Amino acid sequence: MNTSLRTQDLLAIGLMTFALFLGAGNLIFPPSMGLEAGTNLLPAMMGFLVTAVGLPAFTLIVLGRITTTNNLTKALPSWLGKVFWVLLFTSIGPAFGMPRAVTVAYEMGIKPFVEGDHLLLFTIIFCGVTLLLAFTPGKLVDYIGKVMTPALILMLVALSVAAIMSPLGVPQLPSADYQNSAVTHGLIQGYMTMDGIAAVGFGWVIIQAINAKGVTEPKEVARVSIYVAAIYAVLMGACYLAMGYVGATSSTVAASAANGGEILTLYVHGIFGEYGQLLLAAIIIMACLTTTVGLTNASAEYYRASFKAPFALTSVVVVSLTCVIANFGLAQIIKVSLPAILLLCPVAIALVMASFVGTLNKRFKPSHVSVLVVTLAFGSLDALAILDMMPGNFNTQLQESLPLYSAHASWLVPCLLVLTFNSLRSVISQRKNCEPVEA
C-alpha cells in the first residue's frame, strides 16, 4: 500500500468512520424496508445502497481530494459559507441529530427495562460520557476505532449470524411500492437517510484524524480517504444487508410492527429471548454514543478552525444544548429543523459535486454560487413535497413535468446542467483568452 499511514491506523480510522455514521436510524431503517420489499429485497437493497452508502462514500472521497473540509465552501462568499456551516452543524448537532440519538438510546436501550420516566437522569449520564470522550479529540480514533467499534461489530455479527442460521420466517410478497419499482424506491429510501449531509459534517473529524496520524500531504490525504471510504462502505453495506434481511424474514413475528425499531425488537426477542433485548440495548446505546461523540467533535473542530472558539467550550455548549433539547421540546425542534435539513442535504451534495468537478481539471470553474442557488430553489420544491405542504394541483403538475420530482430529487438534473454549462463556459473563455491576437 503506497501510503505513509500504518495499516492498523488506517483500519482504525475506517472503523471509526463506520461507527460515526452508524446511528440508531441506520439500524432500524433497513428492517422496515426489508419487511415491505419482501421477495424483492435484493433489488430494493441495490438501490438503497447506491444512495445510502455510495453517496456518503463519494462525499468522503471528494473531501479527501480537496484536503480540508473548509475548501468545500471556499468558492462561496465568506458570509455565505459560514452561514451554510453554522446551519449544518446546528441541524445535525444540538437541534436535531444529537437529541434524537439520545432519546432513541433511552427509548430502545433503557426504557424497556425500567419503570417510570428516567429520561432526565439518562440524558445527564449519556451526555456526560459524550463530553468526556469528546474532550480528548486526539484519542477519538483509539476510543471509537479501536475499542467501541470492534465491540459494536461483534454484537451486530452475533445478531446477523443468528438471523441467517435461524430465520424466524421467509420473505413475503412485496408491498405495492416494491412490486414493480423496487430499485427506484430503494434509491429514494437511501437518499432519505440524509447520510449525505452527515458525511459533510463528519468530514471535519475524519480529515483531522488522518492529519493527526502524520498524513498531511494532499495526495496522501486523498489516497487515504479512498481507503477509509472503502472500509466504511463495506461495513455499512454489510450492516444494511443484514438488517434488511432481518426485516424481510420478520413477517411471522412483526407483521403489525409500526416501525423498524419494533421489528428489530421483536425479532431479537424471538431469537435470543430476554437476553436478546439486552444485546439490542447494548447495540443501540453504543451506536448512539459513537454518533453523539462524532457530532460533538465535528462541531467543535469547525468552530475552533473558523471562529477560534475553544474546543472545550464549544463541546460543552453543544452537549448542554443537546441535553436540554432531548428532555424538553424535541418534537417541536424536529418540526422546526426538519425543513432546514431537507434543504441543506441537497445543497451539501451539490457543493460536493461542484468541488469534485473542480478537482477534475483546473480549468473547470463550476461556479459554486450558481449551483447553490439552483439547488436551493429546486430543493425547496422537494422539501415542500416531503412535508406535504405542496398544493395538490401544483404537485400533480410537477410530478408530470419535473424530472425526479417524485423521487424527491428534482434538484439533481438542474444542478448537473448548471455544473456542465459553467464548466464548459470556463474552458471556452480560457481558450479565447489564450488565443494570440492577430495584427
Side-chain angles (χ1 to χ4, degrees), residues 72-73 76 84 346-356 368 371-372:
L72 190 68
T73 55
L76 297 175
F84 167 79
V347 168
I349 297 172
L351 291 176
V352 169
M353 292 167 59
S355 298
F356 176 70
H368 288 59
V371 168
L372 185 149

Side-chain angles (χ1 to χ4, degrees), residues 279-310:
L279 174 65
L280 180 61
I283 292 173
I284 294 296
I285 292 175
M286 189 78 74
C288 290
L289 182 60
T290 56
T291 298
T292 56
V293 172
L295 288 172
T296 301
N297 195 275
S299 299
E301 286 290 350
Y302 167 70
Y303 284 106
R304 178 169 64 178
S306 302
F307 299 100
K308 309 298 182 184

Side-chain angles (χ1 to χ4, degrees), residues 62-74 85 203-204 207 211 221:
V62 173
L63 294 179
R65 289 172 66 93
I66 63 178
T67 67
T68 63
T69 307
N70 209 25
N71 283 342
L72 190 68
T73 55
K74 187 176 180 180
W85 285 114
W204 287 87
I207 292 179
N211 293 339
V221 173

Side-chain angles (χ1 to χ4, degrees), residues 5-21 60 140-142 144-146 149 202 205-215 224-225 227-229 231-232 235:
L5 197 66
R6 294 185 304 171
T7 301
Q8 65 184 47
D9 290 330
L10 174 63
L11 182 60
I13 295 175
L15 291 173
M16 180 195 73
T17 302
F18 165 69
L20 293 179
F21 280 94
L60 295 178
L140 192 66
V141 174
D142 294 329
I144 297 181
K146 295 182 179 180
T149 309
F202 286 139
V205 178
I206 296 163
I207 292 179
Q208 178 69 20
I210 293 173
N211 293 339
K213 295 300 181 180
V215 179
V224 172
S225 298
Y227 290 121
V228 169
I231 294 171
Y232 151 78
L235 292 175

